Coordinates of all heavy atoms in Angstrom, one line a residue:
M1 N -11.1 5.8 -27.3 CA -12.5 6.0 -27.8 C -12.9 4.6 -28.5 O -12.1 4.0 -29.1 CB -12.5 7.1 -28.8 CG -12.2 8.4 -28.2 SD -12.3 9.7 -29.5 CE -13.8 10.5 -29.0
V2 N -14.2 4.3 -28.4 CA -14.7 3.1 -29.0 C -15.3 3.4 -30.3 O -16.1 4.3 -30.5 CB -15.7 2.5 -28.0 CG1 -16.3 1.2 -28.6 CG2 -15.1 2.2 -26.7
E3 N -15.0 2.6 -31.3 CA -15.6 2.7 -32.6 C -16.5 1.4 -32.9 O -16.0 0.5 -33.4 CB -14.5 2.8 -33.7 CG -13.6 4.0 -33.5 CD -12.5 4.1 -34.5 OE1 -12.6 3.4 -35.6 OE2 -11.5 4.7 -34.3
P4 N -17.7 1.5 -32.5 CA -18.6 0.3 -32.6 C -19.0 0.0 -34.1 O -19.1 0.9 -34.9 CB -19.8 0.7 -31.9 CG -19.9 2.2 -31.9 CD -18.5 2.6 -31.9
K5 N -19.1 -1.3 -34.4 CA -19.5 -1.8 -35.7 C -21.0 -1.9 -35.8 O -21.6 -1.7 -36.8 CB -18.8 -3.1 -36.1 CG -17.4 -3.0 -36.3 CD -16.8 -4.3 -36.8 CE -15.3 -4.1 -37.0 NZ -14.8 -4.5 -38.2
N6 N -21.6 -2.2 -34.6 CA -23.1 -2.4 -34.6 C -23.6 -1.7 -33.3 O -22.9 -1.9 -32.3 CB -23.4 -3.9 -34.5 CG -22.9 -4.7 -35.6 OD1 -23.1 -4.4 -36.8 ND2 -22.1 -5.7 -35.3
F7 N -24.7 -1.1 -33.3 CA -25.3 -0.6 -32.1 C -26.7 -0.2 -32.3 O -27.1 0.2 -33.4 CB -24.5 0.5 -31.4 CG -24.3 1.8 -32.1 CD1 -25.2 2.8 -32.0 CD2 -23.3 2.0 -33.0 CE1 -25.1 4.0 -32.6 CE2 -23.1 3.2 -33.6 CZ -24.0 4.2 -33.4
V8 N -27.5 -0.3 -31.3 CA -28.9 0.0 -31.3 C -29.0 1.5 -31.0 O -28.4 2.1 -30.1 CB -29.7 -0.7 -30.2 CG1 -31.1 -0.2 -30.1 CG2 -29.6 -2.2 -30.4
I9 N -29.7 2.2 -31.9 CA -29.9 3.7 -31.8 C -31.0 4.1 -30.8 O -30.8 4.9 -30.0 CB -30.1 4.3 -33.2 CG1 -28.9 4.0 -34.1 CG2 -30.4 5.8 -33.0 CD1 -29.2 4.4 -35.5
S10 N -32.1 3.4 -31.0 CA -33.3 3.7 -30.1 C -34.1 2.5 -29.8 O -34.1 1.6 -30.6 CB -34.1 4.8 -30.8 OG -34.7 4.3 -32.0
C11 N -34.7 2.5 -28.7 CA -35.6 1.5 -28.3 C -34.9 0.2 -27.9 O -34.1 -0.3 -28.6 CB -36.7 1.2 -29.3 SG -38.1 0.4 -28.7
A12 N -35.2 -0.3 -26.7 CA -34.5 -1.4 -26.2 C -34.8 -2.7 -27.0 O -34.0 -3.6 -27.0 CB -35.0 -1.7 -24.8
D13 N -35.8 -2.7 -27.8 CA -36.1 -3.9 -28.7 C -35.4 -3.8 -30.0 O -35.7 -4.6 -30.9 CB -37.6 -4.1 -28.8 CG -38.3 -3.0 -29.6 OD1 -37.6 -2.0 -29.9 OD2 -39.5 -3.1 -29.8
G14 N -34.5 -2.9 -30.2 CA -33.7 -2.8 -31.5 C -34.5 -2.2 -32.6 O -34.4 -2.6 -33.7
N15 N -35.3 -1.2 -32.3 CA -36.2 -0.6 -33.3 C -35.4 0.1 -34.4 O -35.9 0.2 -35.5 CB -37.1 0.4 -32.6 CG -38.2 0.9 -33.5 OD1 -38.8 0.2 -34.3 ND2 -38.5 2.2 -33.4
T16 N -34.3 0.6 -34.1 CA -33.4 1.3 -35.1 C -32.0 1.0 -34.7 O -31.6 1.1 -33.6 CB -33.6 2.9 -34.9 OG1 -35.0 3.2 -34.9 CG2 -33.0 3.6 -36.1
M17 N -31.2 0.6 -35.8 CA -29.8 0.2 -35.5 C -28.9 0.4 -36.7 O -29.4 0.4 -37.8 CB -29.8 -1.2 -35.0 CG -30.4 -2.2 -36.0 SD -30.7 -3.9 -35.4 CE -29.9 -4.1 -33.9
L18 N -27.6 0.4 -36.4 CA -26.6 0.4 -37.4 C -25.9 -0.9 -37.3 O -25.6 -1.4 -36.3 CB -25.6 1.5 -37.1 CG -26.1 3.0 -37.0 CD1 -24.9 3.9 -36.7 CD2 -26.8 3.4 -38.2
T19 N -25.6 -1.5 -38.5 CA -24.9 -2.7 -38.6 C -23.7 -2.6 -39.6 O -23.8 -1.8 -40.5 CB -25.8 -3.9 -38.9 OG1 -26.3 -3.7 -40.2 CG2 -26.9 -4.1 -37.9
K20 N -22.7 -3.4 -39.4 CA -21.6 -3.5 -40.3 C -21.0 -2.1 -40.6 O -20.6 -1.8 -41.7 CB -22.0 -4.1 -41.7 CG -22.5 -5.6 -41.5 CD -22.9 -6.1 -42.8 CE -23.4 -7.5 -42.7 NZ -23.9 -8.1 -43.9
T21 N -20.9 -1.3 -39.5 CA -20.4 0.1 -39.7 C -18.9 0.1 -39.8 O -18.2 -0.6 -39.1 CB -20.8 0.9 -38.5 OG1 -22.3 0.9 -38.3 CG2 -20.4 2.4 -38.6
R22 N -18.4 0.8 -40.8 CA -17.0 1.0 -41.0 C -16.7 2.5 -40.8 O -17.3 3.3 -41.6 CB -16.5 0.6 -42.4 CG -16.6 -0.9 -42.5 CD -16.0 -1.2 -43.9 NE -15.9 -2.7 -44.0 CZ -15.8 -3.3 -45.2 NH1 -15.9 -2.6 -46.3 NH2 -15.7 -4.6 -45.2
W23 N -15.9 2.9 -39.9 CA -15.6 4.3 -39.6 C -14.4 4.8 -40.5 O -13.4 4.2 -40.5 CB -15.3 4.5 -38.1 CG -16.4 4.1 -37.3 CD1 -16.6 3.0 -36.6 CD2 -17.6 4.9 -37.1 NE1 -17.8 2.9 -36.0 CE2 -18.5 4.1 -36.3 CE3 -18.1 6.1 -37.6 CZ2 -19.7 4.5 -35.9 CZ3 -19.3 6.5 -37.2 CH2 -20.2 5.7 -36.4
I24 N -14.7 5.8 -41.3 CA -13.7 6.4 -42.1 C -12.9 7.5 -41.3 O -11.7 7.6 -41.5 CB -14.4 7.1 -43.3 CG1 -15.1 6.1 -44.2 CG2 -13.4 7.9 -44.2 CD1 -16.1 6.7 -45.1
R25 N -13.6 8.1 -40.4 CA -13.0 9.2 -39.6 C -13.6 9.0 -38.2 O -14.8 8.9 -38.0 CB -13.2 10.5 -40.1 CG -12.6 11.7 -39.3 CD -12.8 13.0 -39.9 NE -14.2 13.4 -39.9 CZ -14.9 13.8 -40.9 NH1 -14.4 13.8 -42.1 NH2 -16.2 14.2 -40.8
W26 N -12.7 9.1 -37.2 CA -13.2 9.1 -35.8 C -12.2 10.0 -35.0 O -11.1 9.6 -34.8 CB -13.2 7.7 -35.2 CG -13.8 7.6 -33.8 CD1 -13.3 8.0 -32.7 CD2 -15.1 7.1 -33.5 NE1 -14.1 7.7 -31.6 CE2 -15.3 7.2 -32.1 CE3 -16.1 6.5 -34.3 CZ2 -16.4 6.8 -31.5 CZ3 -17.3 6.1 -33.6 CH2 -17.4 6.2 -32.2
N27 N -12.7 11.1 -34.5 CA -11.8 12.0 -33.7 C -12.7 12.7 -32.6 O -13.8 12.3 -32.5 CB -11.1 13.0 -34.6 CG -12.0 13.9 -35.4 OD1 -13.0 14.4 -34.9 ND2 -11.8 14.0 -36.7
R28 N -12.1 13.6 -32.0 CA -12.8 14.3 -30.8 C -14.0 15.1 -31.3 O -14.9 15.3 -30.5 CB -11.8 15.2 -30.1 CG -10.8 14.4 -29.3 CD -9.9 15.3 -28.5 NE -8.9 14.4 -27.9 CZ -8.2 14.9 -26.9 NH1 -8.2 16.2 -26.6 NH2 -7.3 14.1 -26.4
G29 N -14.0 15.6 -32.5 CA -15.0 16.5 -33.0 C -16.2 15.8 -33.7 O -17.4 16.2 -33.5
D30 N -15.9 14.7 -34.4 CA -17.0 13.9 -35.1 C -16.5 12.6 -35.5 O -15.3 12.3 -35.4 CB -17.5 14.8 -36.2 CG -16.5 15.0 -37.4 OD1 -15.4 14.6 -37.2 OD2 -16.9 15.5 -38.4
A31 N -17.4 11.8 -36.0 CA -17.1 10.5 -36.6 C -17.9 10.3 -37.9 O -19.1 10.8 -37.9 CB -17.4 9.4 -35.6
M32 N -17.4 9.7 -38.9 CA -18.1 9.5 -40.1 C -17.8 8.1 -40.7 O -16.6 7.7 -40.6 CB -17.6 10.6 -41.1 CG -18.3 10.5 -42.4 SD -17.8 12.0 -43.3 CE -17.9 11.4 -45.0
G33 N -18.8 7.5 -41.2 CA -18.5 6.2 -41.8 C -19.6 5.7 -42.7 O -20.6 6.4 -43.0
T34 N -19.5 4.4 -43.1 CA -20.5 3.8 -43.9 C -21.2 2.7 -43.0 O -20.6 2.2 -42.1 CB -20.0 3.1 -45.2 OG1 -19.0 2.1 -44.8 CG2 -19.3 4.2 -46.1
T35 N -22.5 2.4 -43.3 CA -23.2 1.5 -42.5 C -24.4 0.9 -43.2 O -24.9 1.5 -44.2 CB -23.7 2.3 -41.2 OG1 -24.2 1.4 -40.2 CG2 -24.8 3.3 -41.5
D36 N -24.9 -0.2 -42.7 CA -26.2 -0.7 -43.1 C -27.1 -0.3 -42.0 O -26.9 -0.5 -40.8 CB -26.1 -2.3 -43.1 CG -25.3 -2.8 -44.3 OD1 -24.9 -2.0 -45.2 OD2 -25.1 -4.0 -44.4
F37 N -28.2 0.4 -42.4 CA -29.1 1.0 -41.5 C -30.4 0.2 -41.5 O -30.9 -0.2 -42.5 CB -29.5 2.5 -42.0 CG -30.5 3.2 -41.2 CD1 -30.3 3.5 -39.9 CD2 -31.7 3.6 -41.8 CE1 -31.2 4.1 -39.1 CE2 -32.6 4.3 -41.1 CZ -32.4 4.6 -39.7
A38 N -30.8 -0.2 -40.3 CA -32.0 -1.0 -40.1 C -33.0 -0.3 -39.2 O -32.7 0.3 -38.2 CB -31.7 -2.3 -39.5
I39 N -34.3 -0.3 -39.7 CA -35.3 0.4 -38.9 C -36.6 -0.3 -39.0 O -36.9 -0.9 -40.1 CB -35.5 1.9 -39.4 CG1 -36.4 2.7 -38.5 CG2 -35.9 2.0 -40.8 CD1 -36.4 4.2 -38.7
N40 N -37.4 -0.4 -38.0 CA -38.7 -0.9 -38.0 C -39.7 0.2 -38.4 O -39.8 1.2 -37.7 CB -39.1 -1.4 -36.6 CG -40.4 -2.1 -36.6 OD1 -41.3 -1.9 -37.4 ND2 -40.6 -3.0 -35.6
L41 N -40.2 0.1 -39.6 CA -41.1 1.1 -40.1 C -42.5 1.1 -39.5 O -43.3 1.9 -39.8 CB -41.2 1.0 -41.6 CG -39.9 1.2 -42.4 CD1 -40.0 0.9 -43.8 CD2 -39.3 2.6 -42.1
C42 N -42.8 0.1 -38.6 CA -44.0 0.0 -37.8 C -45.3 0.1 -38.7 O -46.2 0.8 -38.4 CB -44.0 1.1 -36.8 SG -42.7 1.0 -35.6
N43 N -45.3 -0.7 -39.8 CA -46.4 -0.7 -40.7 C -46.9 -2.2 -40.8 O -46.2 -3.0 -41.4 CB -46.1 -0.1 -42.0 CG -47.2 0.0 -42.9 OD1 -48.4 -0.2 -42.6 ND2 -47.0 0.4 -44.2
P44 N -48.0 -2.6 -40.3 CA -49.1 -1.8 -39.7 C -48.9 -1.4 -38.3 O -49.5 -0.4 -37.8 CB -50.3 -2.7 -39.9 CG -49.7 -4.1 -39.7 CD -48.4 -4.0 -40.4
S45 N -48.0 -2.1 -37.6 CA -47.7 -1.7 -36.2 C -46.3 -2.1 -35.9 O -45.7 -2.9 -36.6 CB -48.6 -2.4 -35.2 OG -48.4 -3.8 -35.2
C46 N -45.6 -1.6 -34.9 CA -44.3 -1.9 -34.6 C -44.1 -3.4 -34.2 O -43.2 -4.1 -34.6 CB -43.7 -1.1 -33.5 SG -43.6 0.7 -34.0
F47 N -45.1 -3.9 -33.5 CA -45.1 -5.3 -33.1 C -45.2 -6.3 -34.3 O -44.5 -7.3 -34.4 CB -46.2 -5.6 -32.1 CG -46.3 -7.1 -31.7 CD1 -45.4 -7.6 -30.8 CD2 -47.3 -7.9 -32.3 CE1 -45.5 -8.9 -30.5 CE2 -47.4 -9.2 -31.9 CZ -46.5 -9.7 -31.0
A48 N -46.0 -5.9 -35.3 CA -46.3 -6.8 -36.4 C -45.3 -6.6 -37.6 O -45.3 -7.3 -38.5 CB -47.7 -6.6 -36.9
S49 N -44.5 -5.5 -37.5 CA -43.6 -5.2 -38.6 C -42.2 -5.8 -38.4 O -41.8 -5.9 -37.3 CB -43.6 -3.7 -38.7 OG -42.7 -3.3 -39.8
K50 N -41.5 -6.1 -39.5 CA -40.2 -6.6 -39.4 C -39.2 -5.4 -39.7 O -39.6 -4.4 -40.2 CB -39.9 -7.7 -40.4 CG -40.7 -9.0 -40.1 CD -40.4 -10.1 -41.0 CE -41.1 -11.3 -40.6 NZ -40.8 -12.4 -41.5
M51 N -38.0 -5.6 -39.4 CA -37.0 -4.6 -39.6 C -36.8 -4.5 -41.2 O -36.8 -5.4 -41.9 CB -35.6 -5.0 -39.0 CG -35.7 -5.0 -37.5 SD -35.9 -3.4 -36.7 CE -34.3 -2.7 -36.9
S52 N -36.6 -3.2 -41.6 CA -36.3 -3.0 -43.0 C -34.8 -2.6 -43.0 O -34.3 -1.8 -42.2 CB -37.1 -1.8 -43.6 OG -38.5 -2.2 -43.6
L53 N -34.0 -3.2 -43.9 CA -32.6 -3.0 -44.0 C -32.3 -2.1 -45.2 O -32.7 -2.4 -46.3 CB -31.8 -4.3 -44.1 CG -30.3 -4.2 -44.2 CD1 -29.8 -3.6 -42.8 CD2 -29.7 -5.5 -44.4
F54 N -31.5 -1.1 -45.0 CA -31.0 -0.2 -46.1 C -29.5 -0.2 -46.1 O -28.9 0.5 -45.3 CB -31.6 1.2 -45.8 CG -33.1 1.3 -45.8 CD1 -33.7 1.3 -44.5 CD2 -33.8 1.3 -46.9 CE1 -35.1 1.3 -44.5 CE2 -35.2 1.3 -46.9 CZ -35.9 1.3 -45.6
P55 N -28.9 -1.0 -47.0 CA -27.4 -1.1 -47.0 C -26.7 0.1 -47.6 O -27.3 0.9 -48.3 CB -27.2 -2.4 -47.8 CG -28.4 -2.5 -48.7 CD -29.5 -1.9 -47.9
Q56 N -25.5 0.2 -47.2 CA -24.6 1.2 -47.8 C -25.0 2.6 -47.6 O -24.9 3.5 -48.5 CB -24.3 0.9 -49.3 CG -23.8 -0.5 -49.6 CD -23.7 -0.8 -51.0 OE1 -24.2 -0.1 -51.9 NE2 -22.9 -1.8 -51.3
G57 N -25.4 2.9 -46.4 CA -25.7 4.3 -46.0 C -24.5 5.0 -45.4 O -23.4 4.4 -45.3
T58 N -24.6 6.2 -45.1 CA -23.5 6.9 -44.4 C -24.0 7.4 -43.0 O -25.2 7.6 -42.8 CB -23.1 8.2 -45.2 OG1 -24.2 9.1 -45.3 CG2 -22.5 7.8 -46.5
V59 N -23.1 7.5 -42.1 CA -23.5 7.9 -40.7 C -22.5 8.9 -40.3 O -21.3 8.9 -40.6 CB -23.4 6.7 -39.7 CG1 -22.1 5.9 -39.7 CG2 -23.8 7.1 -38.3
V60 N -23.0 9.9 -39.6 CA -22.2 11.0 -39.0 C -22.6 11.1 -37.5 O -23.8 11.3 -37.2 CB -22.3 12.3 -39.7 CG1 -21.5 13.4 -39.0 CG2 -21.8 12.2 -41.2
L61 N -21.6 11.1 -36.6 CA -21.9 11.4 -35.2 C -21.2 12.7 -35.0 O -20.1 12.9 -35.4 CB -21.2 10.3 -34.3 CG -21.8 8.9 -34.4 CD1 -21.0 7.9 -33.7 CD2 -23.2 8.9 -33.9
S62 N -21.8 13.6 -34.2 CA -21.3 14.9 -34.0 C -21.7 15.5 -32.6 O -22.4 14.8 -31.9 CB -21.6 15.9 -35.1 OG -23.0 16.0 -35.2
R63 N -21.3 16.7 -32.4 CA -21.7 17.5 -31.2 C -21.2 16.7 -29.9 O -22.1 16.4 -29.1 CB -23.1 17.9 -31.1 CG -23.5 18.8 -32.3 CD -24.8 19.4 -32.2 NE -25.0 20.1 -30.9 CZ -25.1 21.4 -30.8 NH1 -25.2 22.1 -31.9 NH2 -25.3 21.9 -29.6
P64 N -19.9 16.5 -29.7 CA -19.5 15.8 -28.5 C -19.8 16.7 -27.3 O -19.7 17.9 -27.3 CB -18.0 15.7 -28.7 CG -17.6 16.8 -29.7 CD -18.8 17.0 -30.6
M65 N -20.2 16.0 -26.2 CA -20.5 16.6 -24.9 C -19.8 15.9 -23.8 O -19.7 14.7 -23.8 CB -22.0 16.6 -24.7 CG -22.8 17.3 -25.7 SD -24.6 17.2 -25.3 CE -24.7 18.0 -23.7
K66 N -19.3 16.6 -22.8 CA -18.8 16.0 -21.6 C -19.9 15.5 -20.8 O -20.9 16.3 -20.5 CB -17.9 17.0 -20.9 CG -16.6 17.4 -21.5 CD -15.8 18.3 -20.7 CE -14.6 18.7 -21.4 NZ -13.8 19.7 -20.6
T67 N -19.9 14.3 -20.4 CA -20.9 13.7 -19.6 C -20.3 12.9 -18.4 O -19.1 12.8 -18.3 CB -21.7 12.7 -20.4 OG1 -21.0 11.5 -20.6 CG2 -22.2 13.2 -21.7
Q68 N -21.1 12.4 -17.5 CA -20.6 11.6 -16.4 C -20.0 10.3 -16.9 O -19.3 9.6 -16.2 CB -21.8 11.3 -15.5 CG -22.9 10.4 -16.1 CD -24.1 10.3 -15.2 OE1 -24.1 10.8 -14.1 NE2 -25.1 9.6 -15.7
H69 N -20.2 9.9 -18.2 CA -19.6 8.7 -18.8 C -18.4 9.1 -19.7 O -18.0 8.2 -20.4 CB -20.7 8.0 -19.6 CG -21.9 7.7 -18.8 ND1 -22.0 6.8 -17.8 CD2 -23.2 8.2 -18.9 CE1 -23.2 6.7 -17.3 NE2 -23.9 7.6 -17.9
G70 N -18.0 10.3 -19.6 CA -16.9 10.7 -20.5 C -17.5 11.6 -21.7 O -18.6 12.0 -21.6
V71 N -16.7 11.8 -22.7 CA -17.2 12.6 -23.8 C -17.9 11.6 -24.8 O -17.4 10.6 -25.2 CB -16.0 13.2 -24.6 CG1 -16.5 13.9 -25.8 CG2 -15.3 14.2 -23.7
L72 N -19.2 12.0 -25.1 CA -20.1 11.3 -26.0 C -20.6 12.1 -27.1 O -20.8 13.3 -26.9 CB -21.2 10.7 -25.2 CG -20.9 9.8 -24.0 CD1 -22.2 9.5 -23.2 CD2 -20.3 8.5 -24.4
F73 N -20.7 11.6 -28.3 CA -21.4 12.3 -29.3 C -22.9 12.4 -29.0 O -23.5 11.4 -28.6 CB -21.2 11.6 -30.7 CG -19.7 11.6 -31.1 CD1 -19.1 10.4 -31.3 CD2 -19.1 12.7 -31.4 CE1 -17.7 10.4 -31.7 CE2 -17.8 12.8 -31.9 CZ -17.1 11.6 -32.0
S74 N -23.5 13.5 -29.2 CA -24.9 13.7 -28.9 C -25.8 13.8 -30.1 O -27.0 13.8 -29.9 CB -25.0 15.0 -28.0 OG -24.7 16.1 -28.8
E75 N -25.3 13.8 -31.3 CA -26.1 13.8 -32.5 C -25.7 12.8 -33.5 O -24.5 12.6 -33.7 CB -26.1 15.2 -33.1 CG -26.8 16.2 -32.2 CD -27.2 17.5 -32.9 OE1 -27.0 17.7 -34.1 OE2 -27.6 18.4 -32.2
L76 N -26.7 12.3 -34.2 CA -26.4 11.2 -35.2 C -27.3 11.6 -36.4 O -28.4 12.0 -36.3 CB -26.9 9.9 -34.7 CG -26.9 8.7 -35.7 CD1 -26.3 7.5 -35.1 CD2 -28.4 8.4 -36.0
V77 N -26.7 11.4 -37.6 CA -27.4 11.6 -38.9 C -27.0 10.4 -39.8 O -25.8 10.1 -40.0 CB -27.1 12.9 -39.6 CG1 -27.8 12.9 -41.0 CG2 -27.5 14.1 -38.8
V78 N -28.0 9.7 -40.3 CA -27.8 8.6 -41.2 C -28.5 9.0 -42.5 O -29.7 9.4 -42.5 CB -28.4 7.2 -40.7 CG1 -28.2 6.1 -41.7 CG2 -27.8 6.9 -39.3
R79 N -27.8 8.8 -43.6 CA -28.4 9.1 -44.9 C -28.4 7.7 -45.6 O -27.3 7.0 -45.6 CB -27.6 10.1 -45.7 CG -27.6 11.5 -45.1 CD -26.9 12.5 -45.9 NE -26.8 13.7 -45.2 CZ -27.7 14.6 -45.0 NH1 -28.9 14.5 -45.5 NH2 -27.5 15.7 -44.3
Y80 N -29.5 7.4 -46.2 CA -29.7 6.1 -46.9 C -30.6 6.2 -48.0 O -31.3 7.2 -48.2 CB -30.2 5.0 -45.8 CG -31.5 5.4 -45.3 CD1 -32.7 4.8 -45.7 CD2 -31.7 6.3 -44.2 CE1 -33.9 5.1 -45.2 CE2 -32.9 6.6 -43.7 CZ -34.0 6.0 -44.2 OH -35.3 6.4 -43.7
R81 N -30.6 5.2 -48.9 CA -31.5 5.1 -50.0 C -32.7 4.2 -49.7 O -32.5 3.1 -49.3 CB -30.8 4.7 -51.3 CG -29.8 5.7 -51.8 CD -29.7 5.6 -53.3 NE -28.9 6.8 -53.7 CZ -29.3 7.9 -54.1 NH1 -30.6 8.2 -54.1 NH2 -28.5 8.9 -54.4
A82 N -33.9 4.7 -49.9 CA -35.2 4.0 -49.8 C -36.0 4.1 -51.1 O -36.3 5.3 -51.4 CB -36.0 4.5 -48.6
D83 N -36.2 3.1 -51.8 CA -37.0 3.1 -53.0 C -36.3 4.1 -54.0 O -36.9 4.8 -54.7 CB -38.4 3.5 -52.8 CG -39.2 2.5 -52.0 OD1 -38.9 1.3 -52.1 OD2 -40.0 3.0 -51.2
G84 N -34.9 4.0 -54.0 CA -34.2 4.9 -54.9 C -34.0 6.3 -54.6 O -33.3 7.1 -55.2
K85 N -34.7 6.7 -53.5 CA -34.6 8.1 -53.1 C -33.7 8.3 -51.8 O -33.7 7.4 -50.9 CB -36.0 8.7 -52.7 CG -36.9 8.7 -53.9 CD -38.3 9.2 -53.5 CE -39.2 9.1 -54.7 NZ -40.6 9.5 -54.3
L86 N -33.0 9.4 -51.8 CA -32.1 9.6 -50.6 C -33.0 10.0 -49.4 O -33.9 10.9 -49.6 CB -31.1 10.8 -50.9 CG -30.0 11.0 -49.9 CD1 -29.2 9.8 -49.7 CD2 -29.2 12.2 -50.3
S87 N -32.8 9.4 -48.3 CA -33.6 9.7 -47.1 C -32.6 10.0 -46.0 O -31.4 9.6 -46.0 CB -34.4 8.5 -46.7 OG -35.4 8.2 -47.7
K88 N -33.1 10.6 -44.9 CA -32.3 10.9 -43.8 C -33.0 10.6 -42.5 O -34.2 10.8 -42.3 CB -32.0 12.4 -43.8 CG -31.2 12.9 -42.6 CD -30.8 14.4 -42.8 CE -31.7 15.3 -42.0 NZ -31.2 16.7 -41.9
F89 N -32.3 10.0 -41.5 CA -32.7 9.7 -40.2 C -31.8 10.5 -39.3 O -30.6 10.4 -39.4 CB -32.6 8.2 -39.9 CG -32.9 7.9 -38.4 CD1 -34.2 7.7 -38.0 CD2 -31.9 7.9 -37.5 CE1 -34.5 7.4 -36.7 CE2 -32.2 7.6 -36.2 CZ -33.5 7.3 -35.8
S90 N -32.3 11.3 -38.3 CA -31.5 12.0 -37.4 C -32.0 11.8 -36.0 O -33.2 11.6 -35.8 CB -31.4 13.5 -37.8 OG -32.6 14.1 -37.8
M91 N -31.1 11.9 -35.0 CA -31.5 11.8 -33.6 C -30.5 12.6 -32.8 O -29.3 12.7 -33.1 CB -31.4 10.3 -33.2 CG -31.8 10.0 -31.8 SD -32.3 8.3 -31.7 CE -33.0 8.4 -30.0
S92 N -31.0 13.1 -31.7 CA -30.2 13.9 -30.8 C -30.4 13.3 -29.4 O -31.6 13.1 -29.0 CB -30.5 15.4 -30.8 OG -29.9 16.0 -29.8
W93 N -29.3 13.2 -28.6 CA -29.4 12.7 -27.2 C -29.2 13.9 -26.3 O -28.9 13.7 -25.1 CB -28.4 11.6 -26.9 CG -28.7 10.3 -27.6 CD1 -29.6 9.4 -27.2 CD2 -28.2 9.9 -28.9 NE1 -29.6 8.3 -28.1 CE2 -28.8 8.6 -29.2 CE3 -27.3 10.4 -29.8 CZ2 -28.5 7.9 -30.3 CZ3 -27.1 9.7 -31.0 CH2 -27.6 8.4 -31.2
N94 N -29.2 15.1 -26.8 CA -28.9 16.3 -26.1 C -29.7 16.4 -24.8 O -29.1 16.9 -23.8 CB -29.1 17.5 -27.0 CG -28.4 18.8 -26.4 OD1 -27.6 18.7 -25.5 ND2 -28.7 19.9 -27.0
G95 N -30.9 16.1 -24.7 CA -31.7 16.2 -23.5 C -31.7 15.0 -22.7 O -32.4 14.9 -21.6
D96 N -31.0 13.9 -23.1 CA -31.0 12.7 -22.3 C -30.3 12.9 -21.0 O -29.3 13.4 -20.9 CB -30.3 11.6 -23.2 CG -30.4 10.2 -22.6 OD1 -30.1 10.0 -21.4 OD2 -30.7 9.3 -23.4
P97 N -30.9 12.3 -19.9 CA -30.3 12.5 -18.6 C -28.9 11.9 -18.5 O -28.1 12.4 -17.7 CB -31.3 11.7 -17.7 CG -32.5 11.6 -18.4 CD -32.2 11.7 -19.8
A98 N -28.6 10.9 -19.3 CA -27.2 10.4 -19.3 C -26.2 11.4 -19.8 O -25.0 11.2 -19.5 CB -27.2 9.1 -20.1
F99 N -26.6 12.4 -20.4 CA -25.7 13.4 -20.9 C -25.5 14.6 -20.0 O -24.8 15.5 -20.3 CB -26.2 13.9 -22.3 CG -25.8 13.0 -23.4 CD1 -26.4 11.8 -23.6 CD2 -24.8 13.4 -24.3 CE1 -26.1 11.0 -24.6 CE2 -24.4 12.5 -25.3 CZ -25.1 11.3 -25.5
R100 N -26.1 14.5 -18.8 CA -25.8 15.5 -17.8 C -24.6 15.1 -17.0 O -24.3 14.0 -16.8 CB -27.0 15.6 -16.8 CG -28.3 16.1 -17.5 CD -29.4 16.3 -16.5 NE -30.6 16.6 -17.3 CZ -31.8 16.1 -17.0 NH1 -31.9 15.2 -16.0 NH2 -32.8 16.4 -17.7
R101 N -23.9 16.1 -16.6 CA -22.7 15.9 -15.8 C -23.0 15.4 -14.4 O -23.9 15.8 -13.8 CB -21.8 17.2 -15.7 CG -21.1 17.4 -17.0 CD -20.2 18.6 -16.7 NE -19.5 18.9 -17.9 CZ -18.5 19.7 -18.0 NH1 -18.2 20.4 -16.9 NH2 -17.9 20.0 -19.1

């Protein structure tokens, strides 16, 4: 199993990504770690906006699925602090064609 330190979550242009990820747990059921979370908030537009970095967040990967590429985690949740408030970003690849056998 691969434990990536950095990866793009969505959009080919790196719209949302995890960096400097350290995995505390990585097994067949889930993975959990700390990460710096970066996201383009698209204000005023995605093209004109720069990435916003939120350091020292937590990341959980879960819901492993058998796919044509092997077993892959299909859900991701990142918790991070923005302006002192706890925020959450979540994503599911459950309907992605790559997750079909």
Side-chain angles (χ1 to χ4, degrees):
M1 297 180 107
V2 177
E3 298 178 22
K5 290 186 184 233
N6 306 305
F7 64 91
V8 175
I9 298 168
S10 63
C11 199
D13 63 358
N15 190 42
T16 311
M17 58 191 348
L18 303 179
T19 62
K20 299 180 184 175
T21 305
R22 289 186 174 156
W23 298 102
I24 298 164
R25 178 177 70 235
W26 187 286
N27 58 49
R28 291 181 182 192
D30 66 355
M32 182 172 152
T34 60
T35 193
D36 289 353
F37 177 62
I39 188 168
N40 185 335
L41 298 174
C42 298
N43 188 4
S45 68
C46 294
F47 177 76
S49 180
K50 294 184 178 182
M51 296 293 282
S52 295
L53 180 66
F54 302 96
Q56 301 176 346
T58 61
V59 57
V60 175
L61 296 170
S62 61
R63 298 190 56 114
M65 296 178 65
K66 290 183 182 179
T67 74
Q68 62 187 1
H69 306 289
V71 176
L72 301 174
F73 293 117
S74 66
E75 291 194 7
L76 169 136
V77 174
V78 179
R79 295 185 191 282
Y80 61 98
R81 292 212 171 267
D83 298 324
K85 296 179 184 175
L86 189 59
S87 297
K88 179 173 102 170
F89 173 89
S90 59
M91 183 157 187
S92 174
W93 292 275
N94 198 12
D96 189 306
F99 278 73
R100 295 188 188 134
R101 285 186 178 188

